[in-house]
Amino acid sequence: MLDAIINDVQTKPPTYSFQETLVAAEQVNWRIEDIIGDDKSLDFGKPFLPESLARVKELTFLNPDDKRILNQIRAHAYLCIFGLVEEFILPFVLDHVRPLLNTDDYRVRAFLQFASEEAKHIQLVKRFSEEFQKGFGSECAVIGPPTQIAEAVLAHQPLAVALAILHIEWMTQRHYIESVKGNRMMDAQFKSLLKNHWLEEAQHAKLDTVMVEALADGMSRKAIERAVDEYLEIVGFLDAGLKQQTLFDLEAFERATGRKLSDGERESFIFVQHQANRWTYLGTGMTHPKFAETLGKLGLEFRTRVEEIAPAYC
Ligand SMILES: [Fe+2]
Ligand SMILES: [Fe+2]
């Protein structure tokens, strides 16, 4: 596998330029202290997530305050789930760059910058989560622990993991561009977090594209097919986690509001919110045009396969 990566470096031009990606990353690079702390605090009177991801309006048995509280619970889980996926992205990127240290300097620096930014994002998410818990006032459980989830994901073959990471990076781009940018309802502090994350993730999406291309180079059709199967296994694994997260969110909602939902309301809550979670973390990545484009380059049948499955997660 490593030989395949190194051959690719020497013989095939990547879709994106490492030098340009590195320059863009260096221009964006922000400090955690500039985003959170001092007078920069969360306003719990406002929603934190865009409605297209939260989908709380569909729950017509909730009053406006209930909907805002549920939106905030979902936003806290969103933060923590990002931290959680970044905990498997970081070691994967480091493992990818290690055998490439004696190749293109810009490539090495671009991937190290990528890894360093993910480490920073993990820390940023922890800071926001602490801030959230202080202001929200009751417990919101989140799936994990991150190390166990990382271990399960990283047990898959590299191309499958790289596809899952590419999906996540494009998904982040889509969340900001389609739902957060221009949103006037959301809390400004949470919006700033998502904006700054989006700015750095733009380079990650490009580097992940190149990583997928490098890993797939030299692999047979059959081997790529197995990797796509494993990518879909990762999707299924994450989906099971999202079902559990929906149950945690229901508990957190009842705890925070003191409301006890009826059996019918609980059923509706779980159905709508599980699907909202699926769309947030799975559907928005699986149906992203850039993700589909990369899959299509590996083989049209792989793109079609994912496109056929994706509606279940939308
Ligand atoms: Fe990140
Ligand atoms: Fe990233």
Side-chain angles (χ1 to χ4, degrees):
M1 183 63 71
L2 296 180
D3 287 347
I5 298 170
I6 292 164
N7 283 338
D8 180 83
V9 173
Q10 292 162 349
T11 60
K12 228 180 194 177
T15 298
Y16 297 103
S17 148
F18 294 114
Q19 186 174 358
E20 282 170 20
T21 309
L22 180 65
V23 169
E26 286 174 339
Q27 282 169 350
V28 169
N29 201 12
W30 41 259
R31 299 178 327 138
I32 290 180
E33 296 71 25
D34 297 333
I35 297 180
I36 190 161
D38 300 327
D39 58 339
K40 295 179 280 299
S41 56
L42 296 166
D43 177 357
F44 284 86
K46 291 187 172 172
F48 292 173
L49 268 192
E51 171 59 20
S52 62
L53 303 181
R55 294 190 185 170
V56 298
K57 286 190 183 156
E58 291 177 38
L59 301 171
T60 50
F61 52 87
L62 301 185
N63 67 37
D65 281 343
D66 290 342
K67 286 177 183 163
R68 176 179 43 78
I69 289 167
L70 176 57
N71 178 298
Q72 290 168 355
I73 292 168
R74 284 285 313 283
H76 175 256
Y78 183 88
L79 273 181
C80 298
I81 289 172
F82 259 96
L84 193 141
V85 297
E86 285 172 340
E87 292 217 21
F88 69 74
I89 296 177
L90 176 57
F92 187 80
V93 172
L94 287 173
D95 284 350
H96 179 78
V97 73
R98 183 70 181 85
L100 300 171
L101 292 180
N102 294 323
T103 61
D104 176 354
D105 289 336
Y106 281 118
R107 182 183 191 119
V108 172
R109 289 180 60 205
F111 275 107
L112 288 176
Q113 175 82 19
F114 175 174
S116 154
E117 286 168 358
E118 293 298 28
K120 182 174 68 177
H121 298 171
I122 292 169
Q123 194 179 4
L124 178 72
V125 159
K126 285 180 188 158
R127 286 287 312 277
F128 260 85
S129 180
E130 282 164 19
E131 194 91 353
F132 180 93
Q133 284 166 40
K134 263 193 265 161
F136 188 70
S138 65
E139 197 210 333
C140 299
V142 181
I143 50 170
T147 45
Q148 214 171 309
I149 292 179
E151 206 179 300
V153 171
L154 294 173
H156 290 280
Q157 62 163 296
L159 181 57
V161 180
L163 283 169
I165 295 174
L166 183 65
H167 155 148
I168 291 165
E169 306 289 7
W170 285 122
M171 163 191 118
T172 315
Q173 295 299 293
R174 187 170 190 173
H175 290 179
Y176 183 76
I177 292 166
E178 290 186 6
S179 309
V180 177
K181 192 179 177 190
N183 188 314
R184 292 172 190 273
M185 307 292 288
M186 289 171 63
D187 165 56
Q189 172 66 354
F190 209 84
K191 198 171 163 180
S192 148
L193 160 82
L194 298 181
K195 180 180 180 181
N196 284 290
H197 192 233
W198 163 72
L199 282 169
E200 291 190 341
E201 294 292 322
Q203 282 64 252
H204 300 184
K206 292 178 182 173
L207 291 170
D208 275 324
T209 303
V210 176
M211 194 153 66
V212 165
E213 289 169 354
L215 288 166
D217 188 59
M219 281 173 75
S220 68
R221 212 86 178 164
K222 202 79 204 138
I224 294 175
E225 190 185 332
R226 278 199 296 275
V228 173
D229 283 345
E230 286 194 40
Y231 156 72
L232 290 170
E233 282 171 26
I234 295 172
V235 167
F237 169 75
L238 295 175
D239 185 37
L242 295 176
K243 180 73 189 283
Q244 178 58 55
Q245 185 59 50
T246 305
L247 301 177
F248 283 154
D249 291 350
L250 173 58
E251 279 173 20
F253 172 79
E254 290 192 332
R255 196 162 30 236
T257 58
R259 253 189 93 164
K260 188 92 187 100
L261 299 184
S262 68
D263 287 349
E265 288 169 343
R266 287 171 72 92
E267 203 179 306
S268 170
F269 181 108
I270 292 167
F271 178 78
V272 168
Q273 283 298 302
H274 182 209
Q275 204 57 30
N277 272 283
R278 283 175 154 173
W279 167 244
T280 303
Y281 305 101
L282 303 174
T284 52
M286 292 170 93
T287 62
H288 194 290
K290 289 285 190 185
F291 181 68
E293 189 182 308
T294 299
L295 272 177
K297 282 186 190 166
L298 301 184
L300 201 55
E301 69 271 35
F302 307 129
R303 176 183 174 147
T304 308
R305 173 132 194 257
V306 172
E307 279 174 348
E308 281 170 0
I309 293 169
Y313 299 104
C314 293

